[in-house]
């Protein structure tokens, strides 16, 4: 059974940092790209970051570029999202996702999803 389990969420003051962790299990994710998405109350799911299997290519939307960094440890089957300079607009549930043929920000192109971890930023 494939599982993606997120952790590392919590409450933080504006300007602070958090590091999210996504642990994958149940299969090998060789060749799979990994991504992070988020969803705030009353809003659609939003793409946050994507990293290729090799880790050599990353992609971010302008809303988080230069503040968030995605990375992966292929040996540990783990993906990280380092989030700096957080603000209230970053408050959301953050989801980890994996896909064999992802199209950057297209959520429907990801095959597996985690249950999410809450991030709350207070001003």
């Amino acid at each position: 059974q494939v599982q993606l389990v997120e952790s590392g969420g919590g409450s933080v003051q504006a300007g602070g940092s958090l590091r999210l962790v996504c642990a994958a299990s149940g299969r090998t994710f060789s060749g799979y790209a990994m991504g992070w998405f988020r969803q705030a109350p009353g809003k659609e799911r939003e793409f946050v970051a994507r990293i290729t299997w090799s880790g050599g290519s990353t992609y971010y939307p302008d809303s988080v570029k230069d503040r968030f960094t995605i990375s992966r440890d292929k040996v540990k089957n783990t993906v990280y999202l380092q989030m700096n300079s957080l603000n209230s607009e970053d408050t959301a549930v953050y989801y980890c996702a994996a896909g064999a043929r992802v199209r950057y920000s297209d959520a429907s192109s990801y095959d597996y999803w985690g249950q999410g971890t809450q991030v709350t930023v207070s001003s």
Side-chain angles (χ1 to χ4, degrees):
Q1 181 180 358
V2 174
Q3 271 196 315
L4 298 178
V5 179
E6 303 95 336
S7 62
S11 297
V12 64
Q13 296 277 349
S17 299
L18 282 174
R19 188 179 80 152
L20 304 184
V21 181
C22 172
S25 63
R27 64 154 292 150
T28 176
F29 282 89
S30 176
Y32 274 61
M34 303 292 291
W36 286 95
F37 289 75
R38 66 186 181 187
Q39 189 164 20
K43 295 188 177 181
E44 293 187 354
R45 191 165 294 193
E46 177 189 14
F47 169 72
V48 174
R50 183 231 68 188
I51 188 168
T52 55
W53 160 245
S54 68
S57 176
T58 57
Y59 181 72
Y60 309 90
D62 289 343
S63 58
V64 306
K65 197 173 183 180
D66 298 328
R67 297 190 300 123
F68 290 11
T69 302
I70 187 171
S71 60
R72 71 188 300 168
D73 184 328
K74 291 184 285 185
V75 174
K76 294 182 179 179
N77 243 2
T78 300
V79 179
Y80 307 93
L81 184 68
Q82 178 67 42
M83 306 186 295
N84 299 327
S85 302
L86 287 162
N87 59 61
S88 58
E89 294 184 353
D90 297 317
T91 295
V93 177
Y94 283 71
Y95 298 90
C96 173
R101 296 182 181 85
V102 304
R103 293 183 294 276
Y104 289 105
S105 60
D106 183 357
S108 67
S109 67
Y110 289 77
D111 304 307
Y112 303 103
W113 290 83
Q115 292 300 307
T117 185
Q118 176 71 46
V119 171
T120 302
V121 184
S122 57
S123 55

